[in-house]
Structures are given as structure tokens and as C-alpha cells.
Amino acid sequence: MPDTVTTSDKNSRHADRMARKKAVIDAAILSADQEKGLLLVLTGNGKGKSSSAFGMLARALGHGMKVGVAQFIKGRSDTGEEAFFSQQSGVEWHVLGEGFTWDTQDRERDIEKARAGWEVARNMLANPEIKLIVLDELTYTFSLGYLDLAQVLDDIAARPPMQHVVVTGRGAPQALLDTADTVTELMDVKHAWRAGIKAQPGIDL
Ligand code: ATP
Ligand code: MG
């Protein structure tokens, strides 16, 4: 039965390949033995930056960790994530700003709000009880020149050693990418909005 021989050969080659692969992966797992609070950046023009950050927030809560969120730029408070997460215990949720730039058209006021917002974020960064902090849409405060990047990086670097920080927003500055442990750039391949579909609850907000 030549077919049976072929199948058995295939199975045996597969088993060999998997054994070799497992050895490599096991060795890699053993060598990654450090623990630290991570700085993650989710940037790029594709959809999924904030929603990925909130996915990690859910994971952290599942582990019983206390978490904090500071939302910059967006002043809207009708998002599903805020409605859901701010109801959970162990969550500190701050919406900082009332929609900057094109909405307010008042640069001085926006700068003041961004700086006051950063003070709120700094307080969370100084609190070792908070194990994961999402700084949502923070990058715009740099591109608009509202916050001093060096100061923000100093404050992030001075956080408790086991605290994780996730920064989202398009156009993350290079210095932030250089400091981060994990950086993901989301690529825009297609977005329903360009086909005339308005923001859908549960998907976009
Ligand atoms: P999400 O919150 O859905 O993860 P995001 O954080 O990656 O999105 P933002 O730049 O913060 O993206 O924009 C938030 C809103 O804009 C969401 O409603 C999202 O669906 C929409 N959006 C994101 N990327 C695009 C895009 N490339 N074109 C049009 N709309 C987009
Ligand atoms: Mg976002």
C-alpha cells in the first residue's frame, strides 16, 4: 500500500520537525525570564489602537489588577469602553479635555487642559497600586505642541518598576518609540468610514 507508506513517512517527518521546533521554542521561553513594567506604544493610521489597549485593560482586570485610563484629546463621554470599564471596580477613568483643536479652536485653553490632564496622569504614574495605565490618544498632545515630550518621558520613566503603560495615537514621536519596550504600528488597509459608513457603536465607540 504505497499510500499508507507515504502517509506514515509524512507523519514521521512532521513529528521530527515539531520536536525540533518545540526544542527551539522551549529554549526561547526559558531564556525570556525577566519581569518588568512595560511601555507599549500602539500607533499608525489603522483602526485598532485604542481597542487593543482596552483589550489589555480587560486582561489586567481579569487578573485582579488595578488599572487607570487617561483619555486625551477626545472629550466625548459616550464611548462603550468608558460606560463599561468605569463601572468595574479597580478602574480609575479620566476623560481629559473636551475635544481639542478643530472642536474648540481655542489653543490656549487646550494647552491648559492638556497640562492639567498630564497632572492627573502623573498621579496615576506615581501610584504603585495601579498596575496598568492606558494613556489614550496621548500622541496628539505632542504633535500639537501641547505637552513637553521630554517631561512626559521622564515621568513615565520614573513610574513604579512593575507598572505597565500603554500609549495610543497616530504619529508617535521617535523618542517615545525608542523608549518603548513594545511598539505596534497598525496599518490602514481599508476602513468602512471611507465607504460612507458612520461610526458604529460596539465597533468604533
Ligand atoms: P479604535 O478606537 O477603533 O481602536 P483607533 O484608536 O485605532 O481606533 P483613532 O485614530 O483613535 O483610531 O480613531 C478612533 C475612531 O476613528 C474610531 O471610530 C475608528 O473606527 C476610526 N478610525 C480609526 N482608524 C481609521 C481610519 N484609518 N479611517 C477612518 N476612521 C478610522
Ligand atoms: Mg484611538
PDB file of all heavy atoms in Angstrom, residues 43-54 74 76 81 136-137 140 168-170 186-194 199-200 203-205, ligand 1:
ATOM      1  N   THR A  43       0.507  52.658  17.500  1.00  0.00           N
ATOM      2  CA  THR A  43       0.433  53.848  16.647  1.00  0.00           C
ATOM      3  C   THR A  43       0.085  53.450  15.222  1.00  0.00           C
ATOM      4  O   THR A  43      -0.251  52.293  14.962  1.00  0.00           O
ATOM      5  CB  THR A  43       1.759  54.646  16.763  1.00  0.00           C
ATOM      6  OG1 THR A  43       1.610  55.914  16.126  1.00  0.00           O
ATOM      7  CG2 THR A  43       2.941  53.892  16.161  1.00  0.00           C
ATOM      8  N   GLY A  44       0.137  54.383  14.307  1.00  0.00           N
ATOM      9  CA  GLY A  44      -0.204  54.100  12.903  1.00  0.00           C
ATOM     10  C   GLY A  44      -1.600  54.571  12.559  1.00  0.00           C
ATOM     11  O   GLY A  44      -2.371  54.978  13.433  1.00  0.00           O
ATOM     12  N   ASN A  45      -1.942  54.503  11.284  1.00  0.00           N
ATOM     13  CA  ASN A  45      -3.219  55.038  10.801  1.00  0.00           C
ATOM     14  C   ASN A  45      -4.349  54.007  10.795  1.00  0.00           C
ATOM     15  O   ASN A  45      -5.491  54.350  10.506  1.00  0.00           O
ATOM     16  CB  ASN A  45      -3.043  55.592   9.386  1.00  0.00           C
ATOM     17  CG  ASN A  45      -2.137  56.807   9.380  1.00  0.00           C
ATOM     18  OD1 ASN A  45      -2.050  57.530  10.380  1.00  0.00           O
ATOM     19  ND2 ASN A  45      -1.429  57.016   8.290  1.00  0.00           N
ATOM     20  N   GLY A  46      -4.052  52.758  11.046  1.00  0.00           N
ATOM     21  CA  GLY A  46      -5.088  51.731  11.010  1.00  0.00           C
ATOM     22  C   GLY A  46      -5.952  51.735  12.257  1.00  0.00           C
ATOM     23  O   GLY A  46      -5.514  52.193  13.321  1.00  0.00           O
ATOM     24  N   LYS A  47      -7.156  51.225  12.137  1.00  0.00           N
ATOM     25  CA  LYS A  47      -8.057  51.093  13.289  1.00  0.00           C
ATOM     26  C   LYS A  47      -7.572  50.006  14.225  1.00  0.00           C
ATOM     27  O   LYS A  47      -7.122  48.955  13.758  1.00  0.00           O
ATOM     28  CB  LYS A  47      -9.461  50.743  12.803  1.00  0.00           C
ATOM     29  CG  LYS A  47     -10.388  50.342  13.935  1.00  0.00           C
ATOM     30  CD  LYS A  47     -11.758  49.988  13.444  1.00  0.00           C
ATOM     31  CE  LYS A  47     -12.519  49.199  14.500  1.00  0.00           C
ATOM     32  NZ  LYS A  47     -12.570  49.840  15.809  1.00  0.00           N
ATOM     33  N   GLY A  48      -7.728  50.209  15.524  1.00  0.00           N
ATOM     34  CA  GLY A  48      -7.424  49.150  16.484  1.00  0.00           C
ATOM     35  C   GLY A  48      -6.466  49.541  17.587  1.00  0.00           C
ATOM     36  O   GLY A  48      -6.141  48.705  18.427  1.00  0.00           O
ATOM     37  N   LYS A  49      -6.043  50.804  17.622  1.00  0.00           N
ATOM     38  CA  LYS A  49      -5.087  51.233  18.654  1.00  0.00           C
ATOM     39  C   LYS A  49      -5.751  51.260  20.027  1.00  0.00           C
ATOM     40  O   LYS A  49      -5.329  50.558  20.951  1.00  0.00           O
ATOM     41  CB  LYS A  49      -4.508  52.611  18.291  1.00  0.00           C
ATOM     42  CG  LYS A  49      -3.756  52.605  16.956  1.00  0.00           C
ATOM     43  CD  LYS A  49      -3.300  53.971  16.532  1.00  0.00           C
ATOM     44  CE  LYS A  49      -4.412  54.889  16.073  1.00  0.00           C
ATOM     45  NZ  LYS A  49      -5.077  54.439  14.828  1.00  0.00           N
ATOM     46  N   SER A  50      -6.807  52.081  20.136  1.00  0.00           N
ATOM     47  CA  SER A  50      -7.452  52.192  21.448  1.00  0.00           C
ATOM     48  C   SER A  50      -8.110  50.873  21.846  1.00  0.00           C
ATOM     49  O   SER A  50      -8.011  50.453  23.007  1.00  0.00           O
ATOM     50  CB  SER A  50      -8.505  53.300  21.427  1.00  0.00           C
ATOM     51  OG  SER A  50      -7.884  54.542  21.168  1.00  0.00           O
ATOM     52  N   SER A  51      -8.753  50.219  20.880  1.00  0.00           N
ATOM     53  CA  SER A  51      -9.453  48.978  21.253  1.00  0.00           C
ATOM     54  C   SER A  51      -8.469  47.894  21.695  1.00  0.00           C
ATOM     55  O   SER A  51      -8.786  47.102  22.587  1.00  0.00           O
ATOM     56  CB  SER A  51     -10.389  48.505  20.147  1.00  0.00           C
ATOM     57  OG  SER A  51      -9.872  48.740  18.882  1.00  0.00           O
ATOM     58  N   SER A  52      -7.271  47.880  21.139  1.00  0.00           N
ATOM     59  CA  SER A  52      -6.255  46.939  21.622  1.00  0.00           C
ATOM     60  C   SER A  52      -5.848  47.276  23.058  1.00  0.00           C
ATOM     61  O   SER A  52      -5.708  46.382  23.905  1.00  0.00           O
ATOM     62  CB  SER A  52      -5.029  46.986  20.701  1.00  0.00           C
ATOM     63  OG  SER A  52      -3.942  46.323  21.288  1.00  0.00           O
ATOM     64  N   ALA A  53      -5.678  48.570  23.322  1.00  0.00           N
ATOM     65  CA  ALA A  53      -5.305  48.989  24.682  1.00  0.00           C
ATOM     66  C   ALA A  53      -6.384  48.565  25.680  1.00  0.00           C
ATOM     67  O   ALA A  53      -6.075  48.066  26.780  1.00  0.00           O
ATOM     68  CB  ALA A  53      -5.097  50.503  24.724  1.00  0.00           C
ATOM     69  N   PHE A  54      -7.659  48.715  25.280  1.00  0.00           N
ATOM     70  CA  PHE A  54      -8.733  48.342  26.200  1.00  0.00           C
ATOM     71  C   PHE A  54      -8.843  46.820  26.335  1.00  0.00           C
ATOM     72  O   PHE A  54      -9.327  46.323  27.351  1.00  0.00           O
ATOM     73  CB  PHE A  54     -10.053  48.983  25.769  1.00  0.00           C
ATOM     74  CG  PHE A  54      -9.984  50.492  25.819  1.00  0.00           C
ATOM     75  CD1 PHE A  54     -10.419  51.275  24.776  1.00  0.00           C
ATOM     76  CD2 PHE A  54      -9.424  51.116  26.941  1.00  0.00           C
ATOM     77  CE1 PHE A  54     -10.309  52.660  24.823  1.00  0.00           C
ATOM     78  CE2 PHE A  54      -9.311  52.501  27.001  1.00  0.00           C
ATOM     79  CZ  PHE A  54      -9.751  53.270  25.935  1.00  0.00           C
ATOM     80  N   LYS A  74      -9.942  63.512  23.165  1.00  0.00           N
ATOM     81  CA  LYS A  74     -11.376  63.295  22.990  1.00  0.00           C
ATOM     82  C   LYS A  74     -12.138  63.712  24.242  1.00  0.00           C
ATOM     83  O   LYS A  74     -11.804  63.290  25.323  1.00  0.00           O
ATOM     84  CB  LYS A  74     -11.652  61.834  22.702  1.00  0.00           C
ATOM     85  CG  LYS A  74     -11.295  61.528  21.277  1.00  0.00           C
ATOM     86  CD  LYS A  74     -11.534  60.099  20.934  1.00  0.00           C
ATOM     87  CE  LYS A  74     -10.899  59.832  19.589  1.00  0.00           C
ATOM     88  NZ  LYS A  74     -10.578  58.457  19.400  1.00  0.00           N
ATOM     89  N   ARG A  76     -15.524  63.369  24.331  1.00  0.00           N
ATOM     90  CA  ARG A  76     -16.806  62.671  24.352  1.00  0.00           C
ATOM     91  C   ARG A  76     -16.815  61.637  25.475  1.00  0.00           C
ATOM     92  O   ARG A  76     -15.818  61.024  25.785  1.00  0.00           O
ATOM     93  CB  ARG A  76     -17.080  62.007  23.016  1.00  0.00           C
ATOM     94  CG  ARG A  76     -16.067  60.940  22.648  1.00  0.00           C
ATOM     95  CD  ARG A  76     -16.186  60.541  21.213  1.00  0.00           C
ATOM     96  NE  ARG A  76     -17.553  60.111  20.915  1.00  0.00           N
ATOM     97  CZ  ARG A  76     -18.004  59.913  19.686  1.00  0.00           C
ATOM     98  NH1 ARG A  76     -17.202  60.084  18.669  1.00  0.00           N
ATOM     99  NH2 ARG A  76     -19.243  59.517  19.473  1.00  0.00           N
ATOM    100  N   GLU A  81     -16.485  51.829  25.891  1.00  0.00           N
ATOM    101  CA  GLU A  81     -15.425  51.437  26.811  1.00  0.00           C
ATOM    102  C   GLU A  81     -15.532  52.179  28.142  1.00  0.00           C
ATOM    103  O   GLU A  81     -15.374  51.594  29.206  1.00  0.00           O
ATOM    104  CB  GLU A  81     -14.036  51.610  26.180  1.00  0.00           C
ATOM    105  CG  GLU A  81     -13.662  53.002  25.705  1.00  0.00           C
ATOM    106  CD  GLU A  81     -13.930  53.212  24.212  1.00  0.00           C
ATOM    107  OE1 GLU A  81     -14.837  52.542  23.668  1.00  0.00           O
ATOM    108  OE2 GLU A  81     -13.246  54.057  23.598  1.00  0.00           O
ATOM    109  N   ASP A 136      -4.582  57.114  26.469  1.00  0.00           N
ATOM    110  CA  ASP A 136      -5.234  57.007  25.165  1.00  0.00           C
ATOM    111  C   ASP A 136      -5.138  58.327  24.405  1.00  0.00           C
ATOM    112  O   ASP A 136      -5.478  59.381  24.945  1.00  0.00           O
ATOM    113  CB  ASP A 136      -6.703  56.606  25.391  1.00  0.00           C
ATOM    114  CG  ASP A 136      -7.396  56.177  24.115  1.00  0.00           C
ATOM    115  OD1 ASP A 136      -6.723  55.612  23.234  1.00  0.00           O
ATOM    116  OD2 ASP A 136      -8.620  56.401  24.012  1.00  0.00           O
ATOM    117  N   GLU A 137      -4.693  58.246  23.167  1.00  0.00           N
ATOM    118  CA  GLU A 137      -4.547  59.412  22.272  1.00  0.00           C
ATOM    119  C   GLU A 137      -3.535  60.420  22.806  1.00  0.00           C
ATOM    120  O   GLU A 137      -3.622  61.620  22.494  1.00  0.00           O
ATOM    121  CB  GLU A 137      -5.897  60.130  22.022  1.00  0.00           C
ATOM    122  CG  GLU A 137      -7.117  59.244  21.837  1.00  0.00           C
ATOM    123  CD  GLU A 137      -7.085  58.361  20.607  1.00  0.00           C
ATOM    124  OE1 GLU A 137      -6.240  58.593  19.731  1.00  0.00           O
ATOM    125  OE2 GLU A 137      -7.884  57.410  20.548  1.00  0.00           O
ATOM    126  N   TYR A 140      -1.204  62.959  20.318  1.00  0.00           N
ATOM    127  CA  TYR A 140      -1.627  64.241  19.718  1.00  0.00           C
ATOM    128  C   TYR A 140      -1.178  65.429  20.548  1.00  0.00           C
ATOM    129  O   TYR A 140      -0.996  66.522  20.020  1.00  0.00           O
ATOM    130  CB  TYR A 140      -3.149  64.259  19.515  1.00  0.00           C
ATOM    131  CG  TYR A 140      -3.589  63.085  18.681  1.00  0.00           C
ATOM    132  CD1 TYR A 140      -4.157  61.965  19.265  1.00  0.00           C
ATOM    133  CD2 TYR A 140      -3.345  63.081  17.314  1.00  0.00           C
ATOM    134  CE1 TYR A 140      -4.505  60.866  18.505  1.00  0.00           C
ATOM    135  CE2 TYR A 140      -3.684  61.980  16.543  1.00  0.00           C
ATOM    136  CZ  TYR A 140      -4.265  60.873  17.151  1.00  0.00           C
ATOM    137  OH  TYR A 140      -4.587  59.788  16.396  1.00  0.00           O
ATOM    138  N   THR A 168      -1.494  55.206  23.183  1.00  0.00           N
ATOM    139  CA  THR A 168      -2.061  55.073  21.838  1.00  0.00           C
ATOM    140  C   THR A 168      -2.073  56.416  21.123  1.00  0.00           C
ATOM    141  O   THR A 168      -2.013  57.468  21.766  1.00  0.00           O
ATOM    142  CB  THR A 168      -3.508  54.524  21.832  1.00  0.00           C
ATOM    143  OG1 THR A 168      -4.427  55.603  22.048  1.00  0.00           O
ATOM    144  CG2 THR A 168      -3.728  53.451  22.874  1.00  0.00           C
ATOM    145  N   GLY A 169      -2.182  56.360  19.812  1.00  0.00           N
ATOM    146  CA  GLY A 169      -2.344  57.562  18.997  1.00  0.00           C
ATOM    147  C   GLY A 169      -1.471  57.519  17.757  1.00  0.00           C
ATOM    148  O   GLY A 169      -0.421  56.888  17.753  1.00  0.00           O
ATOM    149  N   ARG A 170      -1.935  58.184  16.709  1.00  0.00           N
ATOM    150  CA  ARG A 170      -1.170  58.220  15.451  1.00  0.00           C
ATOM    151  C   ARG A 170       0.088  59.060  15.627  1.00  0.00           C
ATOM    152  O   ARG A 170       0.151  59.913  16.508  1.00  0.00           O
ATOM    153  CB  ARG A 170      -2.025  58.849  14.342  1.00  0.00           C
ATOM    154  CG  ARG A 170      -3.263  58.028  14.074  1.00  0.00           C
ATOM    155  CD  ARG A 170      -4.151  58.692  13.048  1.00  0.00           C
ATOM    156  NE  ARG A 170      -5.453  58.003  13.063  1.00  0.00           N
ATOM    157  CZ  ARG A 170      -6.261  57.905  12.032  1.00  0.00           C
ATOM    158  NH1 ARG A 170      -5.941  58.462  10.895  1.00  0.00           N
ATOM    159  NH2 ARG A 170      -7.405  57.261  12.139  1.00  0.00           N
ATOM    160  N   LEU A 186      -0.205  50.058  13.474  1.00  0.00           N
ATOM    161  CA  LEU A 186      -1.370  49.477  12.808  1.00  0.00           C
ATOM    162  C   LEU A 186      -1.516  50.122  11.435  1.00  0.00           C
ATOM    163  O   LEU A 186      -1.464  51.340  11.307  1.00  0.00           O
ATOM    164  CB  LEU A 186      -2.619  49.676  13.667  1.00  0.00           C
ATOM    165  CG  LEU A 186      -2.553  48.822  14.941  1.00  0.00           C
ATOM    166  CD1 LEU A 186      -2.033  49.631  16.108  1.00  0.00           C
ATOM    167  CD2 LEU A 186      -3.874  48.195  15.265  1.00  0.00           C
ATOM    168  N   MET A 187      -1.675  49.287  10.437  1.00  0.00           N
ATOM    169  CA  MET A 187      -1.711  49.774   9.059  1.00  0.00           C
ATOM    170  C   MET A 187      -3.156  49.855   8.559  1.00  0.00           C
ATOM    171  O   MET A 187      -3.936  48.929   8.763  1.00  0.00           O
ATOM    172  CB  MET A 187      -0.919  48.822   8.168  1.00  0.00           C
ATOM    173  CG  MET A 187      -0.749  49.324   6.756  1.00  0.00           C
ATOM    174  SD  MET A 187       0.250  48.216   5.756  1.00  0.00           S
ATOM    175  CE  MET A 187      -0.796  46.781   5.660  1.00  0.00           C
ATOM    176  N   ASP A 188      -3.487  50.966   7.932  1.00  0.00           N
ATOM    177  CA  ASP A 188      -4.833  51.138   7.386  1.00  0.00           C
ATOM    178  C   ASP A 188      -4.908  50.498   6.004  1.00  0.00           C
ATOM    179  O   ASP A 188      -4.346  51.009   5.042  1.00  0.00           O
ATOM    180  CB  ASP A 188      -5.134  52.646   7.300  1.00  0.00           C
ATOM    181  CG  ASP A 188      -6.507  52.908   6.708  1.00  0.00           C
ATOM    182  OD1 ASP A 188      -7.380  52.016   6.808  1.00  0.00           O
ATOM    183  OD2 ASP A 188      -6.707  53.992   6.150  1.00  0.00           O
ATOM    184  N   VAL A 189      -5.590  49.364   5.924  1.00  0.00           N
ATOM    185  CA  VAL A 189      -5.762  48.701   4.629  1.00  0.00           C
ATOM    186  C   VAL A 189      -7.080  49.148   4.007  1.00  0.00           C
ATOM    187  O   VAL A 189      -7.163  49.445   2.818  1.00  0.00           O
ATOM    188  CB  VAL A 189      -5.719  47.166   4.803  1.00  0.00           C
ATOM    189  CG1 VAL A 189      -5.995  46.459   3.478  1.00  0.00           C
ATOM    190  CG2 VAL A 189      -4.363  46.739   5.370  1.00  0.00           C
ATOM    191  N   LYS A 190      -8.110  49.266   4.836  1.00  0.00           N
ATOM    192  CA  LYS A 190      -9.463  49.596   4.386  1.00  0.00           C
ATOM    193  C   LYS A 190     -10.226  50.058   5.621  1.00  0.00           C
ATOM    194  O   LYS A 190     -10.011  49.518   6.704  1.00  0.00           O
ATOM    195  CB  LYS A 190     -10.097  48.295   3.882  1.00  0.00           C
ATOM    196  CG  LYS A 190     -11.143  48.416   2.842  1.00  0.00           C
ATOM    197  CD  LYS A 190     -11.651  47.014   2.503  1.00  0.00           C
ATOM    198  CE  LYS A 190     -12.361  47.000   1.187  1.00  0.00           C
ATOM    199  NZ  LYS A 190     -12.938  45.672   0.928  1.00  0.00           N
ATOM    200  N   HIS A 191     -11.084  51.035   5.480  1.00  0.00           N
ATOM    201  CA  HIS A 191     -11.921  51.415   6.619  1.00  0.00           C
ATOM    202  C   HIS A 191     -13.326  51.749   6.118  1.00  0.00           C
ATOM    203  O   HIS A 191     -13.476  52.491   5.144  1.00  0.00           O
ATOM    204  CB  HIS A 191     -11.326  52.597   7.383  1.00  0.00           C
ATOM    205  CG  HIS A 191     -11.930  52.759   8.758  1.00  0.00           C
ATOM    206  ND1 HIS A 191     -13.212  53.197   8.948  1.00  0.00           N
ATOM    207  CD2 HIS A 191     -11.431  52.504   9.991  1.00  0.00           C
ATOM    208  CE1 HIS A 191     -13.486  53.224  10.241  1.00  0.00           C
ATOM    209  NE2 HIS A 191     -12.417  52.804  10.907  1.00  0.00           N
ATOM    210  N   ALA A 192     -14.321  51.199   6.792  1.00  0.00           N
ATOM    211  CA  ALA A 192     -15.718  51.349   6.378  1.00  0.00           C
ATOM    212  C   ALA A 192     -16.142  52.815   6.241  1.00  0.00           C
ATOM    213  O   ALA A 192     -17.019  53.143   5.422  1.00  0.00           O
ATOM    214  CB  ALA A 192     -16.619  50.635   7.382  1.00  0.00           C
ATOM    215  N   TRP A 193     -15.522  53.668   7.045  1.00  0.00           N
ATOM    216  CA  TRP A 193     -15.857  55.091   7.028  1.00  0.00           C
ATOM    217  C   TRP A 193     -15.713  55.689   5.635  1.00  0.00           C
ATOM    218  O   TRP A 193     -16.513  56.520   5.219  1.00  0.00           O
ATOM    219  CB  TRP A 193     -14.922  55.789   8.029  1.00  0.00           C
ATOM    220  CG  TRP A 193     -15.191  57.242   8.203  1.00  0.00           C
ATOM    221  CD1 TRP A 193     -16.222  57.813   8.906  1.00  0.00           C
ATOM    222  CD2 TRP A 193     -14.409  58.326   7.680  1.00  0.00           C
ATOM    223  NE1 TRP A 193     -16.129  59.178   8.851  1.00  0.00           N
ATOM    224  CE2 TRP A 193     -15.025  59.520   8.101  1.00  0.00           C
ATOM    225  CE3 TRP A 193     -13.260  58.406   6.911  1.00  0.00           C
ATOM    226  CZ2 TRP A 193     -14.525  60.767   7.779  1.00  0.00           C
ATOM    227  CZ3 TRP A 193     -12.753  59.653   6.587  1.00  0.00           C
ATOM    228  CH2 TRP A 193     -13.379  60.817   7.010  1.00  0.00           C
ATOM    229  N   ARG A 194     -14.699  55.219   4.899  1.00  0.00           N
ATOM    230  CA  ARG A 194     -14.464  55.755   3.551  1.00  0.00           C
ATOM    231  C   ARG A 194     -15.530  55.273   2.568  1.00  0.00           C
ATOM    232  O   ARG A 194     -15.630  55.788   1.459  1.00  0.00           O
ATOM    233  CB  ARG A 194     -13.056  55.408   3.059  1.00  0.00           C
ATOM    234  CG  ARG A 194     -11.987  56.254   3.755  1.00  0.00           C
ATOM    235  CD  ARG A 194     -10.674  56.238   3.022  1.00  0.00           C
ATOM    236  NE  ARG A 194     -10.052  54.926   2.996  1.00  0.00           N
ATOM    237  CZ  ARG A 194      -9.391  54.391   4.016  1.00  0.00           C
ATOM    238  NH1 ARG A 194      -9.255  55.062   5.141  1.00  0.00           N
ATOM    239  NH2 ARG A 194      -8.874  53.204   3.916  1.00  0.00           N
ATOM    240  N   ALA A 199     -19.685  55.960  12.285  1.00  0.00           N
ATOM    241  CA  ALA A 199     -19.125  55.223  13.423  1.00  0.00           C
ATOM    242  C   ALA A 199     -20.193  54.346  14.071  1.00  0.00           C
ATOM    243  O   ALA A 199     -21.285  54.824  14.412  1.00  0.00           O
ATOM    244  CB  ALA A 199     -18.542  56.198  14.431  1.00  0.00           C
ATOM    245  N   GLN A 200     -19.907  53.075  14.214  1.00  0.00           N
ATOM    246  CA  GLN A 200     -20.874  52.112  14.736  1.00  0.00           C
ATOM    247  C   GLN A 200     -20.603  51.785  16.199  1.00  0.00           C
ATOM    248  O   GLN A 200     -19.479  51.374  16.542  1.00  0.00           O
ATOM    249  CB  GLN A 200     -20.780  50.802  13.921  1.00  0.00           C
ATOM    250  CG  GLN A 200     -21.137  50.966  12.448  1.00  0.00           C
ATOM    251  CD  GLN A 200     -22.600  51.307  12.243  1.00  0.00           C
ATOM    252  OE1 GLN A 200     -23.475  50.511  12.565  1.00  0.00           O
ATOM    253  NE2 GLN A 200     -22.869  52.506  11.729  1.00  0.00           N
ATOM    254  N   ILE A 203     -18.236  48.995  17.687  1.00  0.00           N
ATOM    255  CA  ILE A 203     -17.084  48.813  16.786  1.00  0.00           C
ATOM    256  C   ILE A 203     -16.151  50.010  16.860  1.00  0.00           C
ATOM    257  O   ILE A 203     -14.937  49.851  17.017  1.00  0.00           O
ATOM    258  CB  ILE A 203     -17.572  48.619  15.318  1.00  0.00           C
ATOM    259  CG1 ILE A 203     -18.457  47.381  15.196  1.00  0.00           C
ATOM    260  CG2 ILE A 203     -16.376  48.539  14.365  1.00  0.00           C
ATOM    261  CD1 ILE A 203     -17.761  46.054  15.500  1.00  0.00           C
ATOM    262  N   ASP A 204     -16.736  51.187  16.749  1.00  0.00           N
ATOM    263  CA  ASP A 204     -15.923  52.402  16.669  1.00  0.00           C
ATOM    264  C   ASP A 204     -15.958  53.242  17.950  1.00  0.00           C
ATOM    265  O   ASP A 204     -15.126  54.109  18.137  1.00  0.00           O
ATOM    266  CB  ASP A 204     -16.409  53.269  15.507  1.00  0.00           C
ATOM    267  CG  ASP A 204     -16.230  52.546  14.172  1.00  0.00           C
ATOM    268  OD1 ASP A 204     -15.091  52.216  13.843  1.00  0.00           O
ATOM    269  OD2 ASP A 204     -17.239  52.308  13.489  1.00  0.00           O
ATOM    270  N   LEU A 205     -16.972  53.038  18.778  1.00  0.00           N
ATOM    271  CA  LEU A 205     -17.068  53.813  20.012  1.00  0.00           C
ATOM    272  C   LEU A 205     -17.819  53.013  21.064  1.00  0.00           C
ATOM    273  O   LEU A 205     -18.400  51.968  20.739  1.00  0.00           O
ATOM    274  CB  LEU A 205     -17.770  55.164  19.784  1.00  0.00           C
ATOM    275  CG  LEU A 205     -19.282  55.200  19.576  1.00  0.00           C
ATOM    276  CD1 LEU A 205     -19.796  56.575  19.836  1.00  0.00           C
ATOM    277  CD2 LEU A 205     -19.688  54.710  18.198  1.00  0.00           C
TER     278      LEU A 205
HETATM  279  P1  ATP B   1     -10.299  52.164  17.768  1.00  0.00           P
HETATM  280  O1  ATP B   1     -10.713  53.048  18.922  1.00  0.00           O
HETATM  281  O2  ATP B   1     -11.462  51.730  16.968  1.00  0.00           O
HETATM  282  O3  ATP B   1      -9.352  51.079  18.165  1.00  0.00           O
HETATM  283  P2  ATP B   1      -8.071  53.764  16.890  1.00  0.00           P
HETATM  284  O4  ATP B   1      -7.800  54.097  18.299  1.00  0.00           O
HETATM  285  O5  ATP B   1      -7.067  52.922  16.174  1.00  0.00           O
HETATM  286  O6  ATP B   1      -9.499  53.114  16.734  1.00  0.00           O
HETATM  287  P3  ATP B   1      -8.320  56.576  16.343  1.00  0.00           P
HETATM  288  O7  ATP B   1      -7.357  57.311  15.479  1.00  0.00           O
HETATM  289  O8  ATP B   1      -8.246  56.826  17.802  1.00  0.00           O
HETATM  290  O9  ATP B   1      -8.215  55.037  15.980  1.00  0.00           O
HETATM  291  O10 ATP B   1      -9.754  56.900  15.816  1.00  0.00           O
HETATM  292  C1  ATP B   1     -10.855  56.499  16.510  1.00  0.00           C
HETATM  293  C2  ATP B   1     -12.088  56.439  15.623  1.00  0.00           C
HETATM  294  O11 ATP B   1     -11.759  56.656  14.262  1.00  0.00           O
HETATM  295  C3  ATP B   1     -12.761  55.091  15.644  1.00  0.00           C
HETATM  296  O12 ATP B   1     -14.113  55.338  15.439  1.00  0.00           O
HETATM  297  C4  ATP B   1     -12.174  54.364  14.476  1.00  0.00           C
HETATM  298  O13 ATP B   1     -13.006  53.361  13.902  1.00  0.00           O
HETATM  299  C5  ATP B   1     -11.977  55.489  13.498  1.00  0.00           C
HETATM  300  N1  ATP B   1     -10.819  55.196  12.669  1.00  0.00           N
HETATM  301  C6  ATP B   1      -9.677  54.598  13.036  1.00  0.00           C
HETATM  302  N2  ATP B   1      -8.833  54.443  12.008  1.00  0.00           N
HETATM  303  C7  ATP B   1      -9.467  54.980  10.947  1.00  0.00           C
HETATM  304  C8  ATP B   1      -9.136  55.128   9.548  1.00  0.00           C
HETATM  305  N3  ATP B   1      -7.988  54.688   9.073  1.00  0.00           N
HETATM  306  N4  ATP B   1     -10.048  55.752   8.746  1.00  0.00           N
HETATM  307  C9  ATP B   1     -11.216  56.191   9.239  1.00  0.00           C
HETATM  308  N5  ATP B   1     -11.594  56.078  10.525  1.00  0.00           N
HETATM  309  C10 ATP B   1     -10.735  55.480  11.376  1.00  0.00           C
END
